[in-house]
Amino acid sequence: MSLKKLNKNDAPKQITNHEKVMQENDFIVSKTDTKGVIHYGNRSFVSMSGYDKKEIIGANHNLIRHPFMPQIAFKLAWELIAQKKEFFGFVKNLCKDGGFYWVFAYITADVDKQGNIIGYTSFRRKPSPSGVEEIRSVYKLLNEAEARGGMQASEKLLNTYLLDNKTTYEKFVHELQTGVVA
């Protein structure tokens, strides 16, 4: 039996403001190959996304990419995991029905015995509500910068924000998630 391959064109055309909220003990896991094609998604991933498991397996992970997410967030994620570093961040994901859900994501590269990247694993949990509120306004500014000057403009804005606040991206997102400012 052949599984239907979903692409970005299969994503909902009608984006809504309907938010699904993760429960405190929810834990989403997905695994992809190096091209982002999903080969594993746990029950929580299936439930939150609204897709059937057979629709998800074989689809590209960008199927759940919400258009509100600034491109610079994904550039940063890919740069880190390509270097076999961990990525942590707040992500607004798109549901099959056009709704959305926020997650606090941890993404890491999967490597073989020779140290070659063979895929990626993403673990997501419920984000801090106060962290989501703050990152929402940051993402809005980054999106506006991208609309005016592309990803370079949003990257410059993000770097200026981090420098002005004397922090790193990693420290910033961890403080948003934990509510603890060092």
Side-chain angles (χ1 to χ4, degrees), residues 2-160:
S2 166
L3 297 178
K4 179 184 176 202
K5 301 286 186 207
L6 297 176
N7 60 43
K8 194 61 181 169
N9 295 331
D10 294 318
K13 306 294 188 260
Q14 185 72 23
I15 306 299
T16 71
N17 285 325
H18 179 263
E19 181 175 6
K20 289 176 88 171
V21 179
M22 290 184 71
Q23 299 303 307
E24 207 59 48
N25 293 325
D26 286 347
F27 195 65
I28 296 173
V29 180
S30 60
K31 292 176 123 343
T32 70
D33 64 15
T34 57
K35 305 277 190 215
V37 175
I38 301 166
H39 60 86
Y40 172 78
N42 72 349
R43 187 173 294 155
S44 292
F45 181 48
V46 171
S47 175
M48 289 301 291
S49 73
Y51 288 96
D52 292 330
K53 191 164 193 147
K54 63 184 175 189
E55 292 177 297
I56 289 175
I57 304 302
N60 193 288
H61 211 283
N62 70 8
L63 179 72
I64 61 166
R65 182 180 290 183
H66 196 282
F68 177 73
M69 286 298 298
Q71 293 176 16
I72 190 63
F74 295 107
K75 179 181 185 276
L76 179 60
W78 280 110
E79 286 175 352
L80 288 169
I81 60 176
Q83 297 172 47
K84 301 176 193 163
K85 295 180 181 177
E86 302 170 319
F87 170 80
F88 291 90
F90 289 81
V91 179
K92 185 176 186 179
N93 285 324
L94 184 63
C95 299
K96 181 179 180 178
D97 67 3
F100 68 95
Y101 60 100
W102 282 96
V103 298
F104 186 70
Y106 162 70
I107 307 170
T108 187
D110 301 327
V111 296
D112 64 15
K113 290 179 183 179
Q114 292 75 37
N116 300 309
I117 296 175
I118 56 171
Y120 305 99
T121 301
S122 178
F123 303 93
R124 279 97 74 205
R125 62 184 183 167
K126 182 177 182 173
S128 155
S130 62
V132 169
E133 284 310 307
E134 180 147 352
I135 205 69
R136 217 178 268 197
S137 61
V138 171
Y139 285 176
K140 182 178 184 294
L141 294 172
L142 294 174
N143 281 325
E144 289 168 358
E146 284 179 11
R148 286 189 311 273
M151 200 175 340
Q152 285 183 333
S154 65
E155 185 171 32
K156 182 179 178 183
L157 179 64
L158 178 60
N159 289 334
T160 300

